[in-house]
mmCIF file of all heavy atoms in Angstrom:
data_model
loop_
_atom_site.group_PDB
_atom_site.id
_atom_site.type_symbol
_atom_site.label_atom_id
_atom_site.label_comp_id
_atom_site.label_asym_id
_atom_site.label_seq_id
_atom_site.Cartn_x
_atom_site.Cartn_y
_atom_site.Cartn_z
ATOM 1 N N VAL A 29 105.230 70.423 81.989
ATOM 2 C CA VAL A 29 104.677 69.188 82.546
ATOM 3 C C VAL A 29 103.413 69.480 83.261
ATOM 4 O O VAL A 29 103.169 70.639 83.766
ATOM 5 C CB VAL A 29 105.728 68.517 83.448
ATOM 6 C CG1 VAL A 29 106.916 68.098 82.769
ATOM 7 C CG2 VAL A 29 106.016 69.324 84.675
ATOM 8 N N HIS A 30 102.553 68.435 83.399
ATOM 9 C CA HIS A 30 101.386 68.495 84.120
ATOM 10 C C HIS A 30 101.375 67.641 85.316
ATOM 11 O O HIS A 30 101.565 66.404 85.227
ATOM 12 C CB HIS A 30 100.131 68.162 83.220
ATOM 13 C CG HIS A 30 100.090 68.896 82.015
ATOM 14 N ND1 HIS A 30 99.621 70.150 81.840
ATOM 15 C CD2 HIS A 30 100.494 68.505 80.639
ATOM 16 C CE1 HIS A 30 99.759 70.558 80.525
ATOM 17 N NE2 HIS A 30 100.238 69.594 79.889
ATOM 18 N N GLU A 31 101.260 68.121 86.483
ATOM 19 C CA GLU A 31 101.401 67.343 87.710
ATOM 20 C C GLU A 31 100.011 67.172 88.268
ATOM 21 O O GLU A 31 99.387 67.983 88.989
ATOM 22 C CB GLU A 31 102.317 68.125 88.724
ATOM 23 C CG GLU A 31 102.492 67.355 90.040
ATOM 24 C CD GLU A 31 103.168 68.224 91.054
ATOM 25 O OE1 GLU A 31 104.387 68.582 90.845
ATOM 26 O OE2 GLU A 31 102.568 68.544 92.140
ATOM 27 N N THR A 32 99.455 65.945 88.182
ATOM 28 C CA THR A 32 98.228 65.613 88.675
ATOM 29 C C THR A 32 98.400 65.217 90.212
ATOM 30 O O THR A 32 99.537 65.036 90.560
ATOM 31 C CB THR A 32 97.562 64.383 87.997
ATOM 32 O OG1 THR A 32 98.462 63.303 88.203
ATOM 33 C CG2 THR A 32 97.388 64.670 86.554
ATOM 34 N N PRO A 33 97.410 65.232 91.077
ATOM 35 C CA PRO A 33 97.575 64.803 92.410
ATOM 36 C C PRO A 33 98.246 63.438 92.474
ATOM 37 O O PRO A 33 99.022 63.126 93.455
ATOM 38 C CB PRO A 33 96.108 64.780 92.943
ATOM 39 C CG PRO A 33 95.418 65.813 92.128
ATOM 40 C CD PRO A 33 96.018 65.706 90.763
ATOM 41 N N ALA A 34 97.877 62.528 91.570
ATOM 42 C CA ALA A 34 98.484 61.173 91.629
ATOM 43 C C ALA A 34 99.962 61.209 91.303
ATOM 44 O O ALA A 34 100.777 60.524 91.981
ATOM 45 C CB ALA A 34 97.748 60.241 90.589
ATOM 46 N N LEU A 35 100.373 62.033 90.317
ATOM 47 C CA LEU A 35 101.757 62.150 90.058
ATOM 48 C C LEU A 35 102.607 62.825 91.131
ATOM 49 O O LEU A 35 103.720 62.522 91.450
ATOM 50 C CB LEU A 35 101.955 62.953 88.770
ATOM 51 C CG LEU A 35 101.580 62.228 87.444
ATOM 52 C CD1 LEU A 35 101.822 63.132 86.258
ATOM 53 C CD2 LEU A 35 102.318 60.872 87.298
ATOM 54 N N PHE A 36 101.876 63.752 91.843
ATOM 55 C CA PHE A 36 102.518 64.408 93.068
ATOM 56 C C PHE A 36 102.745 63.326 94.032
ATOM 57 O O PHE A 36 103.921 63.259 94.611
ATOM 58 C CB PHE A 36 101.589 65.477 93.601
ATOM 59 C CG PHE A 36 102.136 65.966 94.957
ATOM 60 C CD1 PHE A 36 103.199 66.859 94.968
ATOM 61 C CD2 PHE A 36 101.562 65.556 96.087
ATOM 62 C CE1 PHE A 36 103.703 67.324 96.166
ATOM 63 C CE2 PHE A 36 102.029 66.034 97.381
ATOM 64 C CZ PHE A 36 103.063 66.916 97.333
ATOM 65 N N GLU A 37 101.827 62.457 94.373
ATOM 66 C CA GLU A 37 102.003 61.457 95.405
ATOM 67 C C GLU A 37 103.093 60.416 95.012
ATOM 68 O O GLU A 37 103.870 60.054 95.861
ATOM 69 C CB GLU A 37 100.684 60.712 95.684
ATOM 70 C CG GLU A 37 99.652 61.660 96.433
ATOM 71 C CD GLU A 37 100.035 61.940 97.818
ATOM 72 O OE1 GLU A 37 100.848 61.135 98.417
ATOM 73 O OE2 GLU A 37 99.601 63.014 98.352
ATOM 74 N N ARG A 38 103.144 60.055 93.692
ATOM 75 C CA ARG A 38 103.988 59.027 93.282
ATOM 76 C C ARG A 38 105.402 59.509 92.937
ATOM 77 O O ARG A 38 106.376 58.771 93.260
ATOM 78 C CB ARG A 38 103.370 58.325 92.028
ATOM 79 C CG ARG A 38 104.062 57.037 91.660
ATOM 80 C CD ARG A 38 103.447 56.428 90.381
ATOM 81 N NE ARG A 38 104.014 56.853 89.172
ATOM 82 C CZ ARG A 38 103.323 57.141 88.030
ATOM 83 N NH1 ARG A 38 101.984 56.984 88.043
ATOM 84 N NH2 ARG A 38 103.964 57.542 86.956
ATOM 85 N N ILE A 39 105.558 60.752 92.432
ATOM 86 C CA ILE A 39 106.920 61.170 91.921
ATOM 87 C C ILE A 39 107.458 62.335 92.772
ATOM 88 O O ILE A 39 108.530 62.356 93.240
ATOM 89 C CB ILE A 39 106.789 61.524 90.500
ATOM 90 C CG1 ILE A 39 106.507 60.258 89.668
ATOM 91 C CG2 ILE A 39 108.155 62.211 89.989
ATOM 92 C CD1 ILE A 39 106.254 60.605 88.171
ATOM 93 N N VAL A 40 106.589 63.328 92.955
ATOM 94 C CA VAL A 40 107.053 64.579 93.449
ATOM 95 C C VAL A 40 107.233 64.546 94.996
ATOM 96 O O VAL A 40 108.291 65.000 95.532
ATOM 97 C CB VAL A 40 106.130 65.806 93.053
ATOM 98 C CG1 VAL A 40 106.694 67.162 93.657
ATOM 99 C CG2 VAL A 40 106.034 65.907 91.513
ATOM 100 N N LYS A 41 106.235 64.071 95.666
ATOM 101 C CA LYS A 41 106.327 63.961 97.122
ATOM 102 C C LYS A 41 107.528 63.151 97.635
ATOM 103 O O LYS A 41 108.286 63.626 98.544
ATOM 104 C CB LYS A 41 105.036 63.450 97.726
ATOM 105 C CG LYS A 41 104.910 63.507 99.198
ATOM 106 C CD LYS A 41 103.506 63.134 99.682
ATOM 107 C CE LYS A 41 103.511 63.258 101.190
ATOM 108 N NZ LYS A 41 102.033 62.796 101.682
ATOM 109 N N PRO A 42 107.795 62.001 97.077
ATOM 110 C CA PRO A 42 108.991 61.288 97.491
ATOM 111 C C PRO A 42 110.317 62.020 97.220
ATOM 112 O O PRO A 42 111.218 61.979 97.976
ATOM 113 C CB PRO A 42 108.938 60.019 96.673
ATOM 114 C CG PRO A 42 107.475 59.814 96.364
ATOM 115 C CD PRO A 42 106.933 61.191 96.189
ATOM 116 N N TYR A 43 110.346 62.795 96.072
ATOM 117 C CA TYR A 43 111.480 63.623 95.653
ATOM 118 C C TYR A 43 111.705 64.672 96.762
ATOM 119 O O TYR A 43 112.863 64.874 97.215
ATOM 120 C CB TYR A 43 111.237 64.234 94.333
ATOM 121 C CG TYR A 43 112.204 65.292 93.885
ATOM 122 C CD1 TYR A 43 113.461 64.932 93.378
ATOM 123 C CD2 TYR A 43 112.008 66.604 94.011
ATOM 124 C CE1 TYR A 43 114.401 65.779 93.010
ATOM 125 C CE2 TYR A 43 112.902 67.588 93.692
ATOM 126 C CZ TYR A 43 114.154 67.149 93.147
ATOM 127 O OH TYR A 43 114.991 68.052 92.764
ATOM 128 N N ILE A 44 110.598 65.315 97.199
ATOM 129 C CA ILE A 44 110.736 66.353 98.247
ATOM 130 C C ILE A 44 111.179 65.752 99.496
ATOM 131 O O ILE A 44 112.071 66.322 100.231
ATOM 132 C CB ILE A 44 109.388 67.096 98.365
ATOM 133 C CG1 ILE A 44 109.024 67.887 97.132
ATOM 134 C CG2 ILE A 44 109.457 68.157 99.608
ATOM 135 C CD1 ILE A 44 107.618 68.491 97.116
ATOM 136 N N THR A 45 110.534 64.616 99.964
ATOM 137 C CA THR A 45 110.839 64.016 101.194
ATOM 138 C C THR A 45 112.305 63.525 101.300
ATOM 139 O O THR A 45 112.860 63.539 102.388
ATOM 140 C CB THR A 45 109.923 62.771 101.459
ATOM 141 O OG1 THR A 45 108.620 63.182 101.331
ATOM 142 C CG2 THR A 45 110.126 62.213 102.759
ATOM 143 N N ALA A 46 112.913 63.227 100.203
ATOM 144 C CA ALA A 46 114.309 62.722 100.108
ATOM 145 C C ALA A 46 115.314 63.747 100.308
ATOM 146 O O ALA A 46 116.489 63.433 100.437
ATOM 147 C CB ALA A 46 114.466 61.923 98.822
ATOM 148 N N PHE A 47 114.947 65.012 100.277
ATOM 149 C CA PHE A 47 115.914 66.038 100.414
ATOM 150 C C PHE A 47 116.558 66.021 101.738
ATOM 151 O O PHE A 47 115.774 66.107 102.752
ATOM 152 C CB PHE A 47 115.249 67.414 100.140
ATOM 153 C CG PHE A 47 115.343 67.895 98.689
ATOM 154 C CD1 PHE A 47 114.633 67.432 97.700
ATOM 155 C CD2 PHE A 47 116.408 68.860 98.366
ATOM 156 C CE1 PHE A 47 114.788 67.745 96.424
ATOM 157 C CE2 PHE A 47 116.605 69.206 97.009
ATOM 158 C CZ PHE A 47 115.738 68.743 96.074
ATOM 159 N N PRO A 48 117.846 65.990 101.878
ATOM 160 C CA PRO A 48 118.459 65.970 103.234
ATOM 161 C C PRO A 48 118.325 67.365 103.911
ATOM 162 O O PRO A 48 118.300 68.396 103.267
ATOM 163 C CB PRO A 48 119.947 65.712 102.896
ATOM 164 C CG PRO A 48 120.122 66.263 101.436
ATOM 165 C CD PRO A 48 118.823 65.991 100.758
ATOM 166 N N PRO A 49 118.191 67.340 105.220
ATOM 167 C CA PRO A 49 118.094 68.688 106.017
ATOM 168 C C PRO A 49 119.185 69.621 105.712
ATOM 169 O O PRO A 49 119.021 70.863 105.782
ATOM 170 C CB PRO A 49 118.131 68.226 107.449
ATOM 171 C CG PRO A 49 117.678 66.808 107.386
ATOM 172 C CD PRO A 49 118.107 66.277 106.118
ATOM 173 N N SER A 50 120.380 69.164 105.301
ATOM 174 C CA SER A 50 121.532 70.033 105.059
ATOM 175 C C SER A 50 121.244 71.002 103.789
ATOM 176 O O SER A 50 121.905 72.132 103.801
ATOM 177 C CB SER A 50 122.768 69.211 104.692
ATOM 178 O OG SER A 50 122.540 68.400 103.513
ATOM 179 N N ARG A 51 120.274 70.610 102.968
ATOM 180 C CA ARG A 51 119.973 71.508 101.816
ATOM 181 C C ARG A 51 119.290 72.827 102.273
ATOM 182 O O ARG A 51 119.331 73.799 101.550
ATOM 183 C CB ARG A 51 119.089 70.723 100.861
ATOM 184 C CG ARG A 51 119.880 69.698 100.018
ATOM 185 C CD ARG A 51 120.874 70.267 99.025
ATOM 186 N NE ARG A 51 120.265 71.216 98.176
ATOM 187 C CZ ARG A 51 119.628 70.875 97.003
ATOM 188 N NH1 ARG A 51 119.509 69.536 96.719
ATOM 189 N NH2 ARG A 51 119.062 71.721 96.266
ATOM 190 N N THR A 52 118.635 72.758 103.377
ATOM 191 C CA THR A 52 117.862 74.005 103.891
ATOM 192 C C THR A 52 118.549 74.417 105.233
ATOM 193 O O THR A 52 117.842 75.122 105.988
ATOM 194 C CB THR A 52 116.430 73.749 103.921
ATOM 195 O OG1 THR A 52 116.229 72.532 104.830
ATOM 196 C CG2 THR A 52 115.763 73.557 102.675
ATOM 197 N N GLN A 53 119.779 74.063 105.474
ATOM 198 C CA GLN A 53 120.387 74.507 106.752
ATOM 199 C C GLN A 53 120.443 75.955 106.840
ATOM 200 O O GLN A 53 120.404 76.540 107.850
ATOM 201 C CB GLN A 53 121.799 73.801 106.938
ATOM 202 C CG GLN A 53 122.497 74.165 108.254
ATOM 203 C CD GLN A 53 121.626 73.762 109.447
ATOM 204 O OE1 GLN A 53 121.124 72.526 109.558
ATOM 205 N NE2 GLN A 53 121.465 74.632 110.382
ATOM 206 N N TRP A 54 120.732 76.587 105.738
ATOM 207 C CA TRP A 54 120.840 78.077 105.633
ATOM 208 C C TRP A 54 119.546 78.767 106.029
ATOM 209 O O TRP A 54 119.521 79.826 106.688
ATOM 210 C CB TRP A 54 121.318 78.532 104.297
ATOM 211 C CG TRP A 54 120.330 78.286 103.182
ATOM 212 C CD1 TRP A 54 120.183 77.179 102.453
ATOM 213 C CD2 TRP A 54 119.304 79.246 102.699
ATOM 214 N NE1 TRP A 54 119.263 77.317 101.519
ATOM 215 C CE2 TRP A 54 118.622 78.534 101.675
ATOM 216 C CE3 TRP A 54 119.006 80.548 102.993
ATOM 217 C CZ2 TRP A 54 117.601 79.136 100.962
ATOM 218 C CZ3 TRP A 54 117.993 81.157 102.345
ATOM 219 C CH2 TRP A 54 117.237 80.435 101.334
ATOM 220 N N VAL A 55 118.397 78.106 105.727
ATOM 221 C CA VAL A 55 117.089 78.638 106.132
ATOM 222 C C VAL A 55 116.942 78.440 107.628
ATOM 223 O O VAL A 55 116.476 79.321 108.305
ATOM 224 C CB VAL A 55 115.942 77.862 105.354
ATOM 225 C CG1 VAL A 55 114.567 78.344 105.870
ATOM 226 C CG2 VAL A 55 116.098 77.999 103.911
ATOM 227 N N GLU A 56 117.286 77.335 108.220
ATOM 228 C CA GLU A 56 117.303 77.076 109.560
ATOM 229 C C GLU A 56 118.130 78.096 110.339
ATOM 230 O O GLU A 56 117.782 78.601 111.411
ATOM 231 C CB GLU A 56 117.734 75.671 109.946
ATOM 232 C CG GLU A 56 116.832 74.541 109.516
ATOM 233 C CD GLU A 56 115.438 74.639 110.186
ATOM 234 O OE1 GLU A 56 115.311 75.092 111.242
ATOM 235 O OE2 GLU A 56 114.390 74.367 109.498
ATOM 236 N N ASN A 57 119.254 78.455 109.773
ATOM 237 C CA ASN A 57 120.193 79.428 110.435
ATOM 238 C C ASN A 57 119.448 80.873 110.577
ATOM 239 O O ASN A 57 119.609 81.525 111.598
ATOM 240 C CB ASN A 57 121.450 79.613 109.660
ATOM 241 C CG ASN A 57 122.362 78.375 109.722
ATOM 242 O OD1 ASN A 57 122.146 77.483 110.639
ATOM 243 N ND2 ASN A 57 123.356 78.291 108.878
ATOM 244 N N ILE A 58 118.691 81.170 109.531
ATOM 245 C CA ILE A 58 117.961 82.432 109.537
ATOM 246 C C ILE A 58 116.850 82.354 110.527
ATOM 247 O O ILE A 58 116.667 83.208 111.419
ATOM 248 C CB ILE A 58 117.306 82.692 108.182
ATOM 249 C CG1 ILE A 58 118.525 83.044 107.139
ATOM 250 C CG2 ILE A 58 116.447 83.905 108.235
ATOM 251 C CD1 ILE A 58 118.025 83.153 105.643
ATOM 252 N N LEU A 59 116.038 81.266 110.519
ATOM 253 C CA LEU A 59 114.932 81.097 111.483
ATOM 254 C C LEU A 59 115.409 80.982 112.934
ATOM 255 O O LEU A 59 114.641 81.484 113.844
ATOM 256 C CB LEU A 59 114.040 79.886 111.111
ATOM 257 C CG LEU A 59 113.371 79.860 109.767
ATOM 258 C CD1 LEU A 59 112.722 78.624 109.505
ATOM 259 C CD2 LEU A 59 112.428 81.088 109.649
ATOM 260 N N ASN A 60 116.544 80.472 113.211
ATOM 261 C CA ASN A 60 117.059 80.258 114.529
ATOM 262 C C ASN A 60 117.946 81.447 115.040
ATOM 263 O O ASN A 60 118.448 81.411 116.105
ATOM 264 C CB ASN A 60 117.852 78.956 114.658
ATOM 265 C CG ASN A 60 116.966 77.683 114.401
ATOM 266 O OD1 ASN A 60 115.859 77.676 114.746
ATOM 267 N ND2 ASN A 60 117.589 76.652 113.864
ATOM 268 N N GLY A 61 118.069 82.470 114.251
ATOM 269 C CA GLY A 61 118.829 83.610 114.587
ATOM 270 C C GLY A 61 120.257 83.506 114.573
ATOM 271 O O GLY A 61 121.026 84.260 115.183
ATOM 272 N N VAL A 62 120.743 82.499 113.860
ATOM 273 C CA VAL A 62 122.196 82.257 113.712
ATOM 274 C C VAL A 62 122.780 83.289 112.648
ATOM 275 O O VAL A 62 123.914 83.668 112.790
ATOM 276 C CB VAL A 62 122.492 80.806 113.322
ATOM 277 C CG1 VAL A 62 123.960 80.580 113.075
ATOM 278 C CG2 VAL A 62 122.003 79.948 114.397
ATOM 279 N N SER A 63 121.996 83.571 111.600
ATOM 280 C CA SER A 63 122.515 84.468 110.555
ATOM 281 C C SER A 63 121.444 85.469 110.146
ATOM 282 O O SER A 63 120.241 85.158 110.338
ATOM 283 C CB SER A 63 122.984 83.575 109.327
ATOM 284 O OG SER A 63 121.816 82.886 108.776
ATOM 285 N N GLU A 64 121.856 86.482 109.511
ATOM 286 C CA GLU A 64 121.035 87.620 108.966
ATOM 287 C C GLU A 64 120.042 88.191 110.025
ATOM 288 O O GLU A 64 118.888 88.755 109.641
ATOM 289 C CB GLU A 64 120.231 87.109 107.754
ATOM 290 C CG GLU A 64 121.180 86.563 106.655
ATOM 291 C CD GLU A 64 120.402 86.348 105.325
ATOM 292 O OE1 GLU A 64 119.777 87.298 104.951
ATOM 293 O OE2 GLU A 64 120.719 85.259 104.676
ATOM 294 N N VAL A 65 120.361 88.225 111.276
ATOM 295 C CA VAL A 65 119.454 88.726 112.337
ATOM 296 C C VAL A 65 119.210 90.218 112.146
ATOM 297 O O VAL A 65 118.088 90.707 112.261
ATOM 298 C CB VAL A 65 120.140 88.485 113.703
ATOM 299 C CG1 VAL A 65 119.239 89.066 114.815
ATOM 300 C CG2 VAL A 65 120.338 86.980 114.047
ATOM 301 N N GLU A 66 120.263 90.909 111.704
ATOM 302 C CA GLU A 66 120.128 92.344 111.562
ATOM 303 C C GLU A 66 119.268 92.776 110.411
ATOM 304 O O GLU A 66 118.967 93.882 110.232
ATOM 305 C CB GLU A 66 121.547 92.994 111.435
ATOM 306 C CG GLU A 66 122.293 92.678 110.140
ATOM 307 C CD GLU A 66 122.846 91.285 109.992
ATOM 308 O OE1 GLU A 66 122.809 90.601 111.017
ATOM 309 O OE2 GLU A 66 123.301 90.885 108.871
ATOM 310 N N LYS A 67 119.014 91.862 109.539
ATOM 311 C CA LYS A 67 118.217 92.169 108.339
ATOM 312 C C LYS A 67 116.737 91.933 108.451
ATOM 313 O O LYS A 67 115.946 92.310 107.620
ATOM 314 C CB LYS A 67 118.735 91.313 107.164
ATOM 315 C CG LYS A 67 120.098 91.630 106.664
ATOM 316 C CD LYS A 67 120.482 90.778 105.427
ATOM 317 C CE LYS A 67 121.831 91.106 104.845
ATOM 318 N NZ LYS A 67 122.133 90.267 103.664
ATOM 319 N N VAL A 68 116.370 91.261 109.618
ATOM 320 C CA VAL A 68 114.871 90.896 109.799
ATOM 321 C C VAL A 68 114.109 92.188 109.942
ATOM 322 O O VAL A 68 114.413 93.097 110.731
ATOM 323 C CB VAL A 68 114.745 90.017 110.998
ATOM 324 C CG1 VAL A 68 113.273 89.809 111.316
ATOM 325 C CG2 VAL A 68 115.393 88.678 110.780
ATOM 326 N N LEU A 69 113.079 92.344 109.089
ATOM 327 C CA LEU A 69 112.246 93.463 109.004
ATOM 328 C C LEU A 69 110.997 93.310 109.844
ATOM 329 O O LEU A 69 110.397 94.217 110.319
ATOM 330 C CB LEU A 69 111.764 93.788 107.599
ATOM 331 C CG LEU A 69 112.931 94.015 106.595
ATOM 332 C CD1 LEU A 69 112.448 93.945 105.158
ATOM 333 C CD2 LEU A 69 113.656 95.354 106.906
ATOM 334 N N TYR A 70 110.495 92.042 109.981
ATOM 335 C CA TYR A 70 109.282 91.681 110.800
ATOM 336 C C TYR A 70 109.378 90.322 111.196
ATOM 337 O O TYR A 70 109.872 89.476 110.453
ATOM 338 C CB TYR A 70 107.984 92.034 110.020
ATOM 339 C CG TYR A 70 106.783 91.633 110.777
ATOM 340 C CD1 TYR A 70 106.240 92.569 111.718
ATOM 341 C CD2 TYR A 70 106.160 90.457 110.583
ATOM 342 C CE1 TYR A 70 105.090 92.132 112.437
ATOM 343 C CE2 TYR A 70 104.983 90.082 111.264
ATOM 344 C CZ TYR A 70 104.493 90.920 112.236
ATOM 345 O OH TYR A 70 103.360 90.531 112.882
ATOM 346 N N GLN A 71 108.877 89.996 112.416
ATOM 347 C CA GLN A 71 108.875 88.607 112.899
ATOM 348 C C GLN A 71 107.619 88.266 113.614
ATOM 349 O O GLN A 71 107.186 89.079 114.571
ATOM 350 C CB GLN A 71 110.077 88.362 113.770
ATOM 351 C CG GLN A 71 110.040 86.994 114.320
ATOM 352 C CD GLN A 71 111.395 86.667 115.193
ATOM 353 O OE1 GLN A 71 112.294 87.386 115.160
ATOM 354 N NE2 GLN A 71 111.280 85.539 115.881
ATOM 355 N N ASP A 72 106.963 87.185 113.279
ATOM 356 C CA ASP A 72 105.867 86.640 114.030
ATOM 357 C C ASP A 72 106.353 85.309 114.538
ATOM 358 O O ASP A 72 106.644 84.427 113.697
ATOM 359 C CB ASP A 72 104.670 86.466 113.185
ATOM 360 C CG ASP A 72 103.446 85.771 113.874
ATOM 361 O OD1 ASP A 72 103.674 85.135 114.975
ATOM 362 O OD2 ASP A 72 102.327 85.817 113.383
ATOM 363 N N PRO A 73 106.676 85.179 115.834
ATOM 364 C CA PRO A 73 107.297 83.928 116.378
ATOM 365 C C PRO A 73 106.521 82.652 116.475
ATOM 366 O O PRO A 73 106.968 81.620 116.822
ATOM 367 C CB PRO A 73 107.894 84.386 117.722
ATOM 368 C CG PRO A 73 106.865 85.396 118.179
ATOM 369 C CD PRO A 73 106.383 86.134 116.963
#
């Protein structure tokens, strides 16, 4: 598929915005130090 800036604004951006925060809760857990703390190799806070 070819995603023009117009198609991004009309189709893709609303799709991304609609994602619930729960879908990336595991990412938040890593960033907030809830999980995988011992695996962090480098951090810029």
Side-chain angles (χ1 to χ4, degrees):
V29 298
H30 308 282
E31 180 190 295
T32 63
L35 289 181
F36 172 75
E37 290 293 332
R38 193 178 88 218
I39 297 174
V40 179
K41 189 174 181 179
Y43 172 81
I44 296 173
T45 305
F47 266 78
S50 59
R51 287 290 303 278
T52 51
Q53 184 57 50
W54 65 275
V55 177
E56 292 297 327
N57 289 345
I58 294 174
L59 295 176
N60 295 327
V62 175
S63 63
E64 303 195 45
V65 178
E66 72 285 351
K67 292 183 178 179
V68 174
L69 302 169
Y70 177 81
Q71 176 175 350
D72 178 343

